[in-house]
Amino acid sequence: GKRKGIFDLLSAIKKLDGEDFFVDICGDGEITAAKEMAGRLGLDKKVKFHGWISQEQTRSLLKDASTLLLPSYNEGLPMSIIEGLSAGCSIISTNVGGIAEQVIVGENGFLVEPGDIDAISDSLSNIININTAEREKMFLFSRKHFIDNFSEMAVVPYLKKEIVNL
């Protein structure tokens, strides 16, 4: 819904009418209103609404995606960002909560201010038009960031240390 920035995302997508890309939109919330807006904006061929999806479906969609978009107005550290990093996606998200610690601007994505439709659109255009070598660098940066911060190898030693210190 609005808190997740779906309406801003749809407006940003509309600004990129001539670009060749497709957006899968997942999750529940104000789906009916978002679908109606997408229809009014003529985005029926650019976006697909999946609703709430399973973890297996999430992995499948992220495996085929180049970018994860999350233009939220407020978050902590969203699982979708971690899942996107795991899949090697570049990330376009907002500078809220713990997201800025995971998205390193220019290295694995872009940060925008909540509600800044032009910045979302510009960031998406940058990702769409990036060359193959830069896309590969972003993929590798996201994967390394995930491995260094969220993989079992990174987390288990930390948890063991914390348990010992209890």
Side-chain angles (χ1 to χ4, degrees):
K2 181 170 175 36
R3 184 179 78 79
K4 294 288 187 178
I6 185 64
F7 303 110
D8 296 340
L9 176 59
L10 292 171
S11 295
I13 291 168
K14 178 61 179 171
K15 293 176 72 102
L16 299 173
D17 257 349
E19 300 282 359
D20 183 24
F21 68 99
F22 184 82
V23 177
D24 290 292
I25 297 176
C26 305
D28 53 8
E30 300 172 57
I31 298 298
T32 302
K35 283 182 180 178
E36 288 172 2
M37 181 178 179
R40 278 193 316 275
L41 294 175
L43 300 175
D44 296 331
K45 293 185 172 134
K46 286 266 189 217
V47 299
K48 179 177 180 181
F49 291 89
H50 296 271
W52 192 258
I53 61 173
S54 69
Q55 226 175 8
E56 182 179 308
Q57 289 169 305
T58 299
R59 280 198 276 318
S60 177
L61 285 173
L62 286 173
K63 177 181 69 93
D64 295 333
S66 67
T67 306
L68 177 108
L69 299 149
L70 185 66
S72 294
Y73 281 75
N74 64 342
E75 291 284 352
L77 175 54
M79 184 57 75
S80 59
I81 295 289
I82 297 170
E83 290 168 332
L85 293 170
S86 172
C89 290
S90 55
I91 311 288
I92 298 172
S93 192
T94 45
N95 191 10
V96 298
I99 295 172
E101 296 168 21
Q102 312 314 319
V103 179
I104 313 307
V105 175
E107 298 292 334
N108 68 336
F110 298 97
L111 292 171
V112 301
E113 291 305 314
D116 190 340
I117 293 165
D118 288 334
I120 296 167
S121 179
D122 291 345
S123 296
L124 185 53
S125 180
N126 286 337
I127 294 289
I128 291 167
N129 293 301
I130 202 167
N131 67 47
T132 305
E134 288 298 313
R135 186 177 309 283
E136 181 67 16
K137 280 173 56 178
M138 283 189 156
F139 169 84
L140 293 172
F141 192 96
S142 285
R143 284 291 300 146
K144 183 176 182 335
H145 188 77
F146 171 80
I147 290 166
D148 291 349
N149 295 282
F150 300 105
S151 69
E152 188 176 325
M153 295 180 301
V155 174
V156 170
Y158 173 78
L159 292 175
K160 284 182 180 177
K161 183 176 125 190
E162 290 300 311
I163 291 170
V164 169
N165 290 332
L166 291 177

